[in-house]
Amino acid sequence: MMKPLLDVHTHTVASGHGYSTIQEMVQAAADKGLQVLGITEHGPSIPGTCGLLYFKNMFVVPRRMYGIRLLMGCEVNILDPEGRLDLNDEYLDRLDIGIAGIHIVCWQGGTREENTRGMINVIRNPKIHIISHPGDGSCELDFEPLVLAAKESHTLLEVNNHSLAPQRHKTVARDNNLEILRLCKKHGVPTILGSDAHISFQIADYERLRPLLAETDFPDELIMNYWPERFFEYLGII
């Protein structure tokens, strides 16, 4: 495994169940030798997270700090099988990076086919750059159509380290993430590793993903965490 240079899925105290501030997170990223850090607080449907004013006021945060390029974004909630999100375009347009994912506390699910169709709608949304933890088992999905849609739209499907923590009891996450990796490799589709850090010590921690990358013999050139310039170009982030 190469040295990761970016981690763009992290949470601070503003998400309500994180334990570090923005400055603590960025300093930790600098200490670990990263070049890019994303702060992506939970969208407003998660209990205890920040309100809409937080996302409106993010312009006050410096985007260069301790030698790190900082992306201020959101992990937006996918609410239903239609692909509705809990931030509208007014707020999505304010984000440096848009991540969207399913969280059980605010998800109204459907059939596997319906869920997959709705996820594809989100993948095709040009304001969404990354789908967070699609393999964690929060709903049933067909992964090959998602991988093909991601390839077409230049959206990244995340392989999430936090989902594999034993305390999370995500019993299907390992097998699902292996399937996602195999399909991305088969179709030549880039992916991104997500720490989903909720405290500064977890930044760029992908240790639970190492065995999965080894098992699939996943090519380094398809892991965007190693290639910041390629990451920005692929997602069209200026």
Side-chain angles (χ1 to χ4, degrees):
M1 185 174 181
M2 295 174 59
K3 176 180 172 56
L5 298 176
L6 62 84
D7 184 1
V8 295
H9 181 181
T10 72
H11 302 273
T12 76
V13 290
S15 279
H17 54 281
Y19 301 93
S20 300
T21 66
I22 289 177
Q23 282 128 302
E24 289 168 341
M25 298 289 275
V26 180
Q27 184 63 68
D31 292 344
K32 293 186 176 188
L34 269 64
Q35 296 179 10
V36 181
L37 179 70
I39 301 290
T40 51
E41 309 298 2
H42 284 289
S45 299
I46 295 291
T49 194
C50 46
L52 291 175
L53 183 59
Y54 175 94
F55 300 105
K56 184 173 286 189
N57 198 47
M58 289 194 306
F59 70 91
V60 306
V61 181
R63 298 315 202 259
R64 294 279 177 182
M65 198 184 298
Y66 312 131
I68 295 290
R69 177 172 177 179
L70 179 61
L71 302 176
M72 295 295 293
C74 179
E75 186 182 10
V76 187
N77 294 290
I78 304 170
L79 300 176
D80 59 32
E82 298 303 313
R84 280 194 312 120
L85 305 175
D86 69 343
L87 281 187
N88 63 28
D89 285 353
E90 175 189 356
Y91 291 95
L92 292 173
D93 286 338
R94 297 173 183 269
L95 307 179
D96 301 330
I97 186 167
I99 299 178
I102 292 171
H103 297 90
I104 292 297
V105 294
C106 53
W107 163 249
Q108 299 291 325
T111 65
R112 179 188 294 266
E113 182 180 13
E114 290 169 339
N115 297 340
T116 302
R117 185 167 60 247
M119 183 67 84
I120 289 173
N121 289 340
V122 179
I123 288 170
R124 289 176 175 164
N125 184 333
K127 301 180 191 299
I128 298 301
H129 302 101
I130 297 171
I131 301 298
S132 59
H133 44 72
D136 75 352
S138 293
C139 75
E140 293 188 333
L141 294 163
D142 288 321
F143 293 116
E144 190 152 29
L146 301 187
V147 169
L148 293 174
K151 181 175 185 176
E152 177 186 0
S153 302
H154 278 215
T155 305
L156 296 173
L157 301 182
E158 178 196 68
V159 182
N160 186 283
N161 189 76
H162 193 49
S163 298
L164 297 176
Q167 299 88 342
R168 302 293 310 285
H169 304 293
K170 302 283 188 182
T171 56
V172 299
R174 187 180 190 280
D175 288 344
N176 283 350
N177 281 303
L178 282 171
E179 183 177 357
I180 291 169
L181 288 171
R182 291 186 180 112
L183 288 166
C184 285
K185 180 180 176 181
K186 172 184 174 183
H187 294 290
V189 181
T191 188
I192 191 162
L193 313 181
S195 73
D196 205 349
H198 283 67
I199 192 168
S200 60
F201 303 104
Q202 293 180 332
I203 288 174
D205 179 3
Y206 307 122
E207 286 303 309
R208 297 186 184 96
L209 301 179
R210 285 179 180 270
L212 280 63
L213 298 173
E215 185 170 337
T216 56
D217 194 23
F218 198 80
D220 289 340
E221 59 267 24
L222 292 180
I223 299 175
M224 285 295 196
N225 306 74
Y226 306 150
W227 317 101
E229 291 184 7
R230 192 182 303 172
F231 167 83
F232 287 114
E233 181 181 359
Y234 189 80
L235 297 180
I237 297 176
I238 300 173

